[in-house]
Amino acid sequence: MTESATTEPTTVRHAVLDLLRSLGMTTIFGNPGSTELPLFLDFPADFRYVLGLQESVVVGMADGYAQATGNAAFINLHSAAGVGHAMGNIFTAHKNRTPLVITAGQQARSILPFEPFLFSAQATELPKPYVKWSCEPARAQDVPLAIARAYYMAMQEPKGPVLVSIPADDWARPAQPVAPRTVSTMARPEPELLERIGQQLDASRRPALVVGAAVDRAGAWDAVVALAERYQARVWVAPMSGRAGFPEHHPLFAGFLPAMRERIVQLLEGSDAVLALGAPVFTYHVEGAGPHLPAGAQLAQLIDDPAMAAWSPVGLAVVGNIRLGVLDLLARPVAGGARQAPPRRAAPPEPAAPAAGERMSAAYVLHQLNLARRPGDIVVEEAPSARPVMQQHLPMRESGSFYTMCSGGLGYSLPAAVGVALGRPGEKVIALIGDGSSLYSIQALWSAAQLRLPITFLILNNRGYAALNMFAPAFGFAPGAELPGTALPGIDFVGLAQAQGCVGLRATDAASLRALLPQALASSVPTLLDIEID
């Protein structure tokens, strides 16, 4: 970016819009309220406003857009209530390490002492701890500088959301323009510590890599493939990873680590060196005991987040950009000689077609999807009960081909699919969503229809919160026990889609799936296919 300066005064609104232009942020995601209206006076023609019908939808769409484009997305929320509605997906953006510049309306400064209607009492505290920084500028003329700072902080690794609270009467106040600056967003890992990682890999005979979402975020996909091939290392995906970090059809791909300590140790058994790339060590979902690694294994971690490096329980942790670190490892000479390739991951058996009158299994549906999709199609997933099956039957083969939430919070992926489609125009986006998950943000279908995006929404409809039933035995429930509050009968997803302007289809058996799935995938307008599964 070129640097320029001017002393000509302007308004806060014009200074902010000019700054956003210079930063490539001419798309605004929002759900407007009264305190935000002054931003949109004489709204410029070169900006695009993407409306979400609820604030969590707004943040989910912006998150998908930011991940797809690699640049921070700009969000405009409504005071305390709007930020509160959005908090679930702000939490997810924090876990996803997605750069978001969130602005929230505030009541006019002159009436703030009187606790007016629709004000935010502690605007900067409300989103914490799930924003990197939050600010309500002391003066109106400081707003453009605050937004500039927010952008640079959002884009610095580890990336994440930030929030600026802006009183409604600030937008018309005079302010100085803010010229864009060049600000470094990443750091190179320490060479001495990378050398120690390289020496561990050189000395190993059975190395393993554990890849996380930061591999794809950093653009390190190809470099990690080269590193794995150099050392003939088995490659695992870290627990709860929101992006694909390695081609899942590659001979060195080993599979997915679950969020269970003992099971991770079991799967890594036999490895003498484990290198975690862009992933925590490790994410657990249930209580466990014992060691974090198999006996005799050395652990190293290359991570873009110093907080993760600090809490990692064992091993050498190196902080810095993943791609730069892996490139530096590849640049050093290799010692230790050639290694024998590990055995390939066993291919899953082809799921059997259901008998006439029987509902389809998730495995059968996902196998059919794998046969029908094109190589470059993008999958945005939120079907927790079907995820292990998806990992068996729907391999991700390319960088940028898979998105989900790192947080475990539902309601992200359906609107995120809209944002990804906006950020990757002309590409097919497949939103693979559970019936329960979809209902947290079903209003995103309206935004997809208004924008006429070529998204195929596949609803895996098992009529309940099946993930809870799968988890229940871990908490003492008898297998197959009926849990209260987990059934979701009688929801008409085709009707919901059509009411919001999307095409709605329903597959109830194998024959209708084989007929309708290619039609849904080929559609150039948003199309929902409700798939009834066992």
Side-chain angles (χ1 to χ4, degrees), residues 71-206:
N71 194 24
F74 188 85
I75 299 172
N76 188 238
L77 300 180
H78 182 46
S79 191
V83 175
H85 287 159
M87 275 306 300
N89 275 336
I90 291 174
F91 169 67
T92 290
H94 166 74
K95 291 293 186 180
N96 286 353
R97 303 303 186 210
T98 303
L100 300 177
V101 176
I102 304 169
T103 56
Q106 175 64 291
Q107 270 289 8
R109 291 179 186 270
S110 61
I111 57 173
L112 285 179
F114 310 114
E115 298 204 0
F117 187 62
L118 288 176
F119 92 118
S120 185
Q122 298 182 51
T124 61
E125 299 300 312
L126 180 58
K128 291 181 178 178
Y130 301 119
V131 292
K132 293 180 66 177
W133 180 69
S134 59
C135 169
E136 186 172 279
R139 306 177 304 166
Q141 56 263 47
D142 297 330
V143 169
L145 281 170
I147 290 178
R149 178 178 175 181
Y151 173 79
Y152 300 126
M153 291 190 70
M155 290 295 290
Q156 287 172 331
E157 292 184 339
K159 298 177 181 180
V162 295
L163 181 136
V164 182
S165 172
I166 307 173
D169 53 344
D170 281 6
W171 293 104
R173 302 291 186 191
Q176 294 294 331
V178 176
R181 299 185 298 128
T182 300
V183 178
S184 176
T185 61
M186 63 185 71
R188 202 167 207 112
E190 296 177 65
E192 296 82 2
L193 297 181
L194 283 179
E195 178 59 26
R196 287 176 57 185
I197 292 179
Q199 290 172 2
Q200 286 185 9
L201 292 173
D202 288 348
S204 69
R205 307 316 304 162
R206 299 175 305 281

Side-chain angles (χ1 to χ4, degrees), residues 351-354 360-369 389 393 510-511 513-514:
M360 296 170 282
S361 67
Y364 178 79
V365 171
L366 293 170
H367 177 71
Q368 292 300 312
L369 175 58
V389 180
H393 297 284
L513 177 73
R514 290 193 297 268

Side-chain angles (χ1 to χ4, degrees), residues 208-221:
L209 305 183
V210 178
V211 298
V215 167
D216 206 29
R217 284 201 307 266
W221 177 286

Side-chain angles (χ1 to χ4, degrees), residues 334-423:
V334 182
R339 290 161 182 77
Q340 184 177 359
R344 291 193 65 154
R345 181 191 189 206
E350 182 175 327
E358 290 185 356
R359 282 200 171 98
M360 296 170 282
S361 67
Y364 178 79
V365 171
L366 293 170
H367 177 71
Q368 292 300 312
L369 175 58
N370 188 46
L371 296 176
R373 66 172 172 162
R374 298 172 302 182
D377 290 348
I378 302 165
V379 175
V380 184
E381 176 267 336
E382 192 178 295
S385 61
R387 188 169 298 147
V389 180
M390 179 195 74
Q391 292 168 347
Q392 288 285 320
H393 297 284
L394 192 67
M396 306 303 160
R397 297 181 172 91
E398 298 180 10
S399 175
S401 64
F402 178 72
Y403 301 87
T404 189
M405 74 298 193
C406 294
S407 66
L410 301 183
Y412 164 76
S413 292
L414 199 152
V418 177
V420 171
L422 279 172

